[in-house]
């Protein structure tokens, strides 16, 4: 019987091959679970990924559209950004919601913890449901050229099902929020 708490990989050496303010890449010389030697690259994220699903009093949500350089395509997503490791997750979520939508929320629920691509990165993501919204002004960062789309939450779910929303944090968050919100209905 396999003990899921025992790491079957053996690390022989580790070398940092790239580093910037947001990520670092390490190359590990390893012995894999079957005993073979090899290399394993790991992308270390220096922030937590924080996603927010804002829901207004009418059941609408707000998506953020932006061009994603790494994908070379436009993407509609839930409001999200990086939260510094040493800062409380909820504080980071509140900051991101304000920056990208202008909203503040009176009610917050942490609905998901996830790993975005656990075969190559240690990135950990969290999704919050933000409700009882109060409108305000956006505070976009210099690198952000964002569009905001208001739509019924059910339409956001359908965009996920139609593969129009492909960002994994958005997909997981929207589907989990859909289940939670559906269970609240009488």
């Amino acid at each position: 019987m396999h003990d899921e708490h025992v790491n079957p990989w053996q690390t022989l050496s580790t070398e940092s091959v790239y580093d910037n303010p947001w990520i670092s890449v390490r190359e590990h010389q390893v012995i894999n679970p079957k005993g073979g030697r090899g290399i394993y690259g790991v992308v270390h994220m220096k922030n937590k990924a924080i996603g927010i699903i804002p829901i207004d009093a009418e059941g609408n949500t707000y998506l953020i559209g932006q061009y994603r350089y790494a994908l070379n395509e436009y993407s509609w997503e839930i409001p999200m950004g990086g939260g510094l490791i040493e800062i409380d997750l909820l504080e980071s979520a509140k900051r991101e919601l304000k920056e990208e939508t202008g909203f503040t929320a009176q009610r917050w629920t942490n609905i998901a913890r996830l790993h975005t691509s656990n075969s190559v990165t240690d990135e950990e993501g969290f999704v919050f449901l933000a409700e009882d919204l109060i409108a305000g002004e956006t505070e976009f960062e210099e690198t952000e050229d964002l569009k905001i789309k208001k739509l019924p939450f059910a339409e956001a779910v359908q965009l996920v099902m139609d593969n129009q929303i492909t960002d994994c944090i958005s997909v997981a968050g929207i589907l989990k929020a859909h289940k939670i919100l559906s269970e609240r209905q009488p």
Side-chain angles (χ1 to χ4, degrees), residues 40 90 115 131 168 177:
Y40 206 111
L90 180 56
H115 293 100
E131 300 172 280
C168 71

Side-chain angles (χ1 to χ4, degrees), residues 97-129:
L97 181 64
K98 175 72 175 145
E99 281 179 9
E100 295 193 355
T101 68
F103 287 115
T104 55
Q106 299 303 302
R107 185 164 45 141
W108 290 87
T109 309
N110 185 337
I111 64 168
R113 173 183 176 249
L114 50 92
H115 293 100
T116 59
S117 186
N118 63 7
S119 65
V120 296
T121 181
D122 63 1
E123 183 174 44
E124 185 177 33
F126 296 88
V127 180
F128 288 85
L129 188 59

